[in-house]
Amino acid sequence: MQLHYKESGRGRAVILLHGLFGSSDNWHHVALRLAESFHVFVVDQRNHGQSPHSAEMNYPLMADDMNEFMASRGIDNAAVIGHSMGGKTAMQFALQFPNRVEKLVVADMAPRAYAPVHEKIIAAQLALDLNSFSTRQEIEDALAPEIPDLVLRRFLLKNLGRNSSGGFFWKINLRGISENYLQLGEPVSASAPFKKPTMFIRSGKSDYINPEDELRVRELFPQSEIQTIAGAGHWVHADAPDAFLRLALDFLRAA
């Protein structure tokens, strides 16, 4: 699978992976700052952004996607930073292909299983007949009863595109995500731990990384540290970009 990506900067390679319903655009500010010191690749994962759609979607497959991406770009190894679903992909990639990963940064995601919490959101989007709408505002209003959070609605609407005749379409593969959604909640799998430097950046306002997760984190990533940004929510790199960048840059620059 030939993943779509954006590239900037020069130096050691750093790869950024977005979360569910996201795209490479979510990392824009962080990528700009990192590109001052590193060669940054911001990737759209399968079924997201401008990358290909697929009926199959799980973390071992997405780790394979990353391996193919690096091979296609001639990248021997890289630091990998992933948020949420992208954090799971990054963990799985490091566990499957440890020689490819120099350092690992995981933003607000643990290696465990998660209960399904996005099914209502996916169903609300799938239920819309996009051909019946003439403006983005009409679509936003139609989603409001099922998705009352305005910030979330507008985040989801970043996935809307318009075709040459002016009609709307979803750039993400909602059907494929829906059919594979339960697999995206599964834990990462490992035959051996990843023994290179790893940092988990935990949000102080979410419960994605609990104290109970720390034992499994240490088992799978024995050279890991867990840092907390107290005032940030789950989208920690967007809520507190300066604090996130301070942690990430210090970690990436360390010998």
Side-chain angles (χ1 to χ4, degrees):
M1 178 169 291
Q2 297 297 313
L3 299 177
H4 176 264
Y5 68 96
K6 298 176 181 178
E7 180 180 1
S8 58
R10 58 194 304 177
R12 289 160 47 210
V14 175
I15 299 174
L16 302 176
L17 297 172
H18 62 80
L20 184 64
F21 308 125
S23 73
S24 54
D25 291 344
N26 301 151
W27 287 109
H28 179 71
H29 176 71
V30 171
L32 284 177
R33 289 281 304 277
L34 290 177
E36 295 171 6
S37 304
F38 300 97
H39 193 175
V40 178
F41 298 85
V42 194
V43 176
D44 287 336
Q45 298 193 77
R46 65 168 58 202
N47 291 330
H48 289 74
Q50 298 182 56
S51 282
H53 291 186
S54 172
E56 297 180 292
M57 191 176 185
N58 57 57
Y59 291 112
L61 278 177
M62 291 190 282
D64 287 338
D65 291 344
M66 288 296 300
N67 188 47
E68 291 178 20
F69 169 76
M70 290 182 67
S72 72
R73 299 302 306 156
I75 306 168
D76 291 330
N77 55 70
V80 181
I81 301 175
H83 168 249
S84 198
M85 180 189 76
K88 275 265 187 88
T89 301
M91 285 186 272
Q92 188 65 54
F93 179 57
L95 292 163
Q96 279 182 227
F97 302 98
N99 292 335
R100 288 286 203 193
V101 180
E102 175 191 352
K103 291 185 175 184
L104 176 65
V105 178
V106 179
D108 215 38
M109 179 59 64
R112 62 173 164 93
Y114 286 83
V117 295
H118 300 97
E119 291 172 315
K120 183 178 179 181
I121 293 172
I122 297 171
Q125 294 174 91
L126 285 171
L128 297 181
D129 176 10
L130 294 183
N131 293 322
S132 67
F133 298 100
S134 57
T135 68
R136 295 174 67 92
Q137 186 62 54
E138 290 174 353
I139 298 173
E140 182 181 309
D141 293 343
L143 287 173
E146 296 297 325
I147 308 174
D149 185 330
L150 178 60
V151 173
L152 176 57
R153 288 203 309 278
R154 291 184 173 170
F155 170 72
L156 296 171
L157 289 179
K158 290 180 180 180
N159 291 305
L160 271 181
R162 298 196 88 148
N163 57 35
S164 57
S165 60
F168 290 102
F169 67 94
W170 292 113
K171 290 182 282 187
I172 59 175
N173 182 7
L174 275 172
R175 185 67 59 187
I177 292 171
S178 176
E179 291 174 353
N180 293 280
Y181 176 65
L182 293 180
Q183 295 189 74
L184 299 180
E186 291 182 352
V188 298
S189 56
S191 57
F194 177 71
K195 297 181 179 180
K196 296 179 186 177
T198 302
M199 181 168 63
F200 286 77
I201 301 179
R202 173 169 48 195
S203 159
K205 290 185 176 180
S206 84
D207 58 359
Y208 275 78
I209 302 178
N210 293 319
E212 296 79 11
D213 296 321
E214 294 184 20
L215 177 60
R216 185 58 173 160
V217 166
R218 309 291 185 198
E219 289 174 349
L220 289 177
F221 305 96
Q223 288 198 45
S224 64
E225 58 181 286
I226 301 174
Q227 300 285 348
T228 302
I229 299 179
H234 179 55
W235 283 273
V236 58
H237 56 295
D239 286 354
D242 292 337
F244 181 88
L245 279 160
R246 278 196 300 273
L247 288 172
L249 284 167
D250 287 348
F251 178 73
L252 294 175
R253 289 168 174 162

